[in-house]
Amino acid sequence: MNRAGNGTAVVQTIDLRKEYRMGTNVVNALAGVSVRIEPGEFVAVMGPSGSGKTTFMNLLGCLDRPSAGKYLFEGDEVSAFDHTELARLRNQKIGFVFQNFNLLPRITALDNVALPLAYGKFARGERRQRAEVALREVGLGDRMDHRPVQLSGGQQQRVAIARAIVGSPSLILADEPTGALDSKTGVEIMGILQTLNDRGITIVLVTHEPDIAEHAGRVLTFRDGRMIRDEKGMGRRAGAPTPATQPHLVAVAGH
Ligand code: ADP
């Protein structure tokens, strides 16, 4: 059951499909998924390996195009976007967090976080300032000049989260963000994501771990390219006020 959704959904897919052709074989990686994700939701995506989770996330992140179906991001039909428009949407509206952090090893935490702003309108000083705010936001104000190798796994993931929020996105897509971390550090990272969600950022997160999924207010379960379950109110977020009206990351947005 989807929310009634009176306003504009952050994400809406309608019969979204992705097929891969392998010679004469066709793999239906995504076999028709329809879902609405409202502003401020915290959604976990679960399912066995090969069930289509990565394909779904890649489509939501505009990293790939669907074979059929529609994808609306904040009401705009993304399938109609050209390359440049897709890149702009990714850069300005979506923050990505990966299992293995994906930081550039030779530059500092600060420069890693400032990097997504290089494609935007900000001057160097402002990029630096915004990156500093984002790093403080994740509790790394004292590690700005460290390179990734000088940071623990949990700290590296914090840098990656700072990089994801520096452009004040409306959506964070996190692909097993705690998968490479010990459980205590994983809980800390989930706490940070929770705080960001409390401030109004919509989060969609892939996980294999039921206790991680418990942080979400909604769990989508995939199997064989289909969404076979859509359950609400499973985790700690159950009953939380709808944060659609909450301001987005005021500190990072800088107003
Ligand atoms: P999950 O993330 O749940 O493990 P995926 O979305 O990666 O699942 O994969 C879904 C299905 O699509 C799998 O059967 C996988 O083998 C297939 N698949 C994924 N990417 C490709 C690709 N680039 N080419 C061919 N088949 C693919």
Side-chain angles (χ1 to χ4, degrees):
M1 190 184 77
N2 287 334
R3 280 190 183 181
N6 299 319
T8 305
V10 178
V11 161
Q12 184 176 13
T13 70
I14 302 164
D15 199 24
L16 200 65
R17 292 168 185 269
K18 180 74 186 180
E19 52 178 47
Y20 292 106
R21 286 171 194 280
M22 308 284 290
T24 53
N25 245 356
V26 177
V27 179
N28 284 308
L30 218 55
V33 170
S34 300
V35 68
R36 268 181 79 100
I37 298 175
E38 307 296 340
E41 280 200 281
F42 193 145
V43 178
V45 175
M46 301 192 80
S49 180
S51 58
K53 305 181 299 292
T54 306
T55 304
F56 180 65
M57 294 293 272
N58 286 346
L59 292 176
L60 293 195
C62 303
L63 299 166
D64 206 351
R65 286 177 185 277
S67 309
K70 283 189 180 176
Y71 175 25
L72 284 79
F73 188 96
E74 294 183 338
D76 291 327
E77 166 126 32
V78 170
S79 348
F81 280 16
D82 66 21
H83 245 61
T84 314
E85 289 169 317
L86 283 176
R88 192 182 305 129
L89 172 70
R90 269 199 308 272
N91 189 244
Q92 297 182 350
K93 298 280 191 172
I94 306 175
F96 295 91
V97 179
F98 305 94
Q99 181 171 356
N100 293 315
F101 326 131
N102 288 10
L103 300 175
L104 293 182
R106 292 181 200 284
I107 62 175
T108 63
L110 187 74
D111 288 338
N112 266 286
V113 174
L115 206 58
L117 301 178
Y119 309 101
K121 55 183 188 273
F122 303 113
R124 192 165 180 276
E126 181 155 12
R127 294 204 293 267
R128 191 184 165 88
Q129 197 192 351
R130 283 175 182 255
E132 285 176 4
V133 172
L135 276 167
R136 280 194 211 101
E137 196 81 19
V138 297
L140 280 186
D142 56 349
R143 292 288 188 280
M144 301 206 192
D145 293 325
H146 288 231
R147 281 181 290 118
V149 71
Q150 299 167 316
L151 296 168
S152 69
Q155 288 170 334
Q156 290 183 59
Q157 195 58 300
R158 284 169 191 252
V159 174
I161 292 173
R163 180 183 57 189
I165 61 175
V166 75
S168 304
S170 29
L171 174 67
I172 289 182
L173 296 175
D175 192 356
E176 298 204 51
T178 63
L181 304 172
D182 64 76
S183 55
K184 179 170 167 283
T185 310
V187 168
E188 286 168 17
I189 292 299
M190 289 310 295
I192 293 174
L193 292 175
Q194 199 92 61
T195 305
L196 296 172
N197 179 245
D198 289 341
R199 293 183 193 175
I201 296 193
T202 309
I203 298 181
V204 181
L205 162 149
V206 171
T207 184
H208 285 112
E209 300 162 68
D211 47 335
I212 293 295
E214 281 211 355
H215 288 260
R218 181 177 178 191
V219 179
L220 311 179
T221 306
F222 281 65
R223 183 173 297 164
D224 298 332
R226 297 178 196 280
M227 197 175 78
I228 57 162
R229 274 200 299 276
D230 179 355
E231 297 161 294
K232 290 220 177 76
M234 305 211 0
R236 291 191 358 209
R237 307 289 303 150
T242 306
T245 52
Q246 292 182 7
H248 285 195
L249 265 193
V250 174
V252 172
H255 47 69

